[in-house]
Amino acid sequence: MNIGFLVSHRGSNMQAVVDACTAGRLDARVCVVISNNGHSEVLVRAHNQGIPNFHLSSRTHPEPEQLDRAIAAVLREHQANLVVLAGYMKKLGPRTLFDFSGRILNIHPGLLPKYGGQGMYGRIVHEAVLAAGEKETGVTIHVVDGVYDHGQVLVERRIPVRSDDDVDSLSERVLEHEHELLVSTLAQVVSGSLRLP
Ligand code: GRF
């Protein structure tokens, strides 16, 4: 399984997958990393580990259609047969969605649909969960279609919210679960025990 990652900033989920592959816990390879931020930490991580990495954004490709074609081409050129969005803040274009239809996964740090949709990402999700006084939150991995946080849910893990949680403690604990859940879900896809649509 050749996994292409699209990441906007940090890349800790991508790193968790690389580490699992290196440790032999995941029979896969991160074949390429694409970021819409030329100075993102994820590109540095990829560079330092010899993983092909590309800054592709409206800066490199002002025309949305060009950018969409470039993303699809880079993924194809690196033989990606599964695409993971992990903290990718941009919408994919129709070409990429078509070329990799049913093979694009997104990991979201909250329960869907209640804590998803445009603008619901990162710390904003945890702030909303705490503000609503929820007793639990979670991690969701879903198939990507053309709508934010909308495709078929593959797996969801519920996580209790502690009375003394703040945004930092909650996001930190959720992120640990994300790393675990992403690796275990990818392992199920690789083994065929979890079938993609
Ligand atoms: C993760 O919390 C992910 O669920 C969300 O954005 C964050 C990305 O973190 N979509 P990282 O770049 O993988 O560290």
Side-chain angles (χ1 to χ4, degrees):
M1 181 73 69
N2 293 330
I3 305 169
F5 267 87
L6 278 79
V7 182
S8 292
H9 303 292
R10 188 178 45 191
S12 72
N13 275 286
M14 182 278 290
Q15 190 61 56
V17 170
V18 169
D19 293 348
C21 295
T22 305
R25 286 184 284 113
L26 178 58
D27 182 16
R29 185 170 70 93
V30 175
C31 59
V32 64
V33 173
I34 294 169
S35 182
N36 58 302
N37 282 306
H39 302 292
S40 56
E41 184 180 344
V42 72
L43 291 180
V44 175
R45 285 179 188 271
H47 173 78
N48 292 341
Q49 297 172 92
I51 300 170
N53 58 95
F54 297 82
H55 166 211
L56 299 176
S57 70
S58 55
R59 297 258 304 279
T60 60
H61 297 78
E63 287 299 318
E65 188 182 326
Q66 285 177 340
L67 176 59
D68 182 20
R69 286 178 181 278
I71 291 170
V74 163
L75 288 167
R76 259 198 320 276
E77 286 155 13
H78 291 79
Q79 291 80 44
N81 39 36
L82 188 67
V83 180
V84 174
L85 312 186
Y88 186 65
M89 299 295 148
K90 299 292 180 185
K91 275 189 95 145
L92 293 180
R95 181 59 184 261
T96 305
L97 285 168
F98 177 78
D99 286 1
F100 294 89
S101 175
R103 316 285 297 167
I104 307 174
L105 309 184
N106 182 52
I107 183 164
H108 181 74
L111 298 176
L112 294 179
K114 188 171 181 183
Y115 288 98
Q118 186 157 12
M120 264 293 188
Y121 57 84
R123 294 176 65 88
I124 297 169
V125 174
H126 307 306
E127 284 163 0
V129 164
L130 290 170
E134 298 286 1
K135 294 288 177 266
E136 64 176 13
T137 184
V139 178
T140 309
I141 298 177
H142 63 92
V143 178
V144 172
D145 58 18
V147 180
Y148 277 114
D149 298 332
H150 175 263
Q152 178 193 331
V153 172
L154 290 179
V155 62
E156 175 190 276
R157 177 183 286 182
R158 291 177 177 265
I159 303 161
V161 177
R162 296 182 182 140
S163 55
D164 61 347
D165 264 324
D166 60 15
V167 174
D168 290 333
S169 63
L170 192 56
S171 58
E172 195 176 310
R173 192 159 74 252
V174 169
L175 192 62
E176 285 169 19
H177 284 281
E178 288 181 57
H179 296 166
E180 286 172 21
L181 196 64
L182 182 55
V183 169
S184 62
T185 302
L186 290 174
Q188 287 177 294
V189 171
V190 170
S191 71
S193 59
L194 176 60
R195 303 193 64 72
L196 296 180

